[in-house]
Amino acid sequence: MTINENKTVLVTGASSGLGSQFCRALSKDGYKVVAAARRLEKLRELCADINKHGGEAVPLELDVTDFESYSLAIDAAEAQVGMVHCLVNNAGSSISKKATEMTVKDFDFIMDLNLKAPYFLSTELARRWIANGVKGRIVNVGSVSDRKAMPGHTVYGTSKAAIARLSQQLAREWVNQGINVNTLAPGYIKTDLNEKYFDSPAGLDVINKLMPRKRIGTSEVLDKAIVYLCSPDQEYLTGQTLALEDGQTL
Ligand SMILES: NC(=O)c1ccc[n+]([C@@H]2O[C@H](COP(=O)([O-])OP(=O)(O)OC[C@H]3O[C@@H](n4cnc5c(N)ncnc54)[C@H](OP(=O)(O)O)[C@@H]3O)[C@@H](O)[C@H]2O)c1
């Protein structure tokens, strides 16, 4: 692997699950990686491992719901690795509750993390790219919950449908600046977010009854897709959603 000066990526939610694996896959593809999340110790472990294997990764302590902190945080990251050319908005979560039990605080928690943060991080970077003529790439991590309604996850599903739409809107706004914005919408993948559930009898039952291939993937199944969507050579795809879901919604 050769590290490419023009391939620097900022991945949010990099301290676990899909985000950690995105960092590893992009590092293997020659990216300098800025791994961002709140749990700095986890990020340090990830970056040490990537660097041990010949990559270049730096941790960035960032709470993406601290919207006013982005500018300084990106400045700090860029002081270490140079200009960021690609953003993966991956940090996200859900609160599982019936719609009738969801509070305003719950609603804001999900929307701030899954929608408002990607919006303002994207615009923060796009301003820099437009000023410097950089043809940046943004990948928003959505979910097949954007099309499959799941009881208990009404706000989450709504946030993921909204982020797919956000990708379209931003893609259109920046289409003539060469900035591509796409959504990667995974099906169920076993991560910290859901591992306990899918290892439980109820979770195993769901896998056997509702997953057509009676399996759920691990985060490595997204490696090729994230590399493709981030690639500066990928010029023609923008505003689209790539759903990697193993037939789970068919
Ligand atoms: N796993 C699946 O089946 C699946 C399917 C479809 C879509 N997704 C989506 O994939 C993304 C990653 O999910 P995952 O399964 O990998 O979950 P995960 O293992 O729980 O990881 C979530 C990540 O988000 C970070 N995060 C949470 N709140 C944050 C905040 N305020 N500021 C910065 N980072 C924050 C967490 O880091 P810290 O706690 O260190 O901040 C963590 O690294 C999410 O957007 C999720 O909706 C997952």
Side-chain angles (χ1 to χ4, degrees):
M1 170 226 332
T2 316
I3 294 167
N4 185 328
E5 284 306 308
N6 295 320
K7 286 165 73 171
T8 300
V9 65
L10 168 62
V11 180
T12 69
S15 57
S16 66
L18 303 188
S20 297
Q21 185 57 27
F22 290 150
C23 292
R24 291 180 199 281
L26 290 164
S27 171
K28 278 189 194 141
D29 195 54
Y31 284 79
K32 285 192 271 184
V33 173
V34 179
R38 294 167 302 178
R39 287 171 294 170
L40 189 55
E41 209 37 56
K42 289 253 180 200
L43 297 173
R44 286 196 177 122
E45 282 166 26
L46 171 73
C47 292
D49 194 46
I50 288 175
N51 295 338
K52 194 174 84 185
H53 289 92
E56 188 177 337
V58 295
L60 178 67
E61 190 175 8
L62 177 69
D63 180 339
V64 294
T65 61
D66 184 359
F67 307 107
E68 309 299 332
S69 71
Y70 295 170
S71 182
L72 283 180
I74 293 169
D75 285 349
E78 290 191 334
Q80 292 186 73
V81 294
M83 182 160 238
V84 169
H85 300 98
C86 179
L87 168 66
V88 179
N89 279 312
N90 164 74
S93 195
S94 186
I95 293 172
S96 178
K97 274 187 187 175
K98 287 180 182 165
T100 47
E101 289 168 5
M102 196 68 81
T103 63
V104 172
K105 204 168 154 210
D106 296 333
F107 185 99
D108 287 346
F109 168 82
I110 297 170
M111 285 295 181
D112 280 0
L113 183 58
N114 294 3
L115 186 64
K116 191 168 169 186
Y119 180 92
F120 283 104
L121 256 182
S122 298
T123 51
E124 174 64 36
L125 276 163
R127 265 191 296 277
R128 295 168 188 240
W129 293 341
I130 292 165
N132 289 283
V134 173
K135 295 180 176 180
R137 299 284 179 263
I138 297 173
V139 180
N140 290 318
V141 177
S143 164
V144 289
S145 311
D146 65 0
R147 68 207 65 174
K148 190 175 167 74
M150 288 186 299
H153 290 279
T154 293
V155 183
Y156 177 77
T158 304
S159 75
K160 293 301 186 182
I163 203 165
R165 183 77 184 112
L166 177 67
S167 296
Q168 290 181 322
Q169 285 289 150
L170 295 181
R172 181 63 188 89
E173 289 232 9
W174 301 327
V175 75
N176 290 318
Q177 277 85 26
I179 297 171
N180 288 352
V181 188
N182 289 294
T183 303
L184 175 60
Y188 284 113
I189 307 277
K190 206 194 251 192
T191 65
D192 292 356
L193 191 68
N194 54 30
E195 189 172 22
K196 241 188 182 162
Y197 173 70
F198 281 120
D199 286 342
S200 73
L204 289 169
D205 200 41
V206 163
I207 294 173
N208 281 323
K209 288 195 180 130
L210 298 183
M211 308 291 163
R213 289 178 170 156
K214 302 193 187 307
R215 65 180 185 184
I216 57 167
T218 54
S219 43
E220 291 83 358
V221 300
L222 305 176
D223 285 4
K224 287 198 171 79
I226 195 71
V227 164
Y228 172 66
L229 293 173
C230 288
S231 171
D233 301 332
Q234 184 296 98
E235 292 195 342
Y236 228 64
L237 187 79
T238 193
Q240 305 303 315
T241 297
L242 187 56
L244 264 80
E245 47 81 274
D246 204 31
Q248 292 172 11
T249 61
L250 298 179

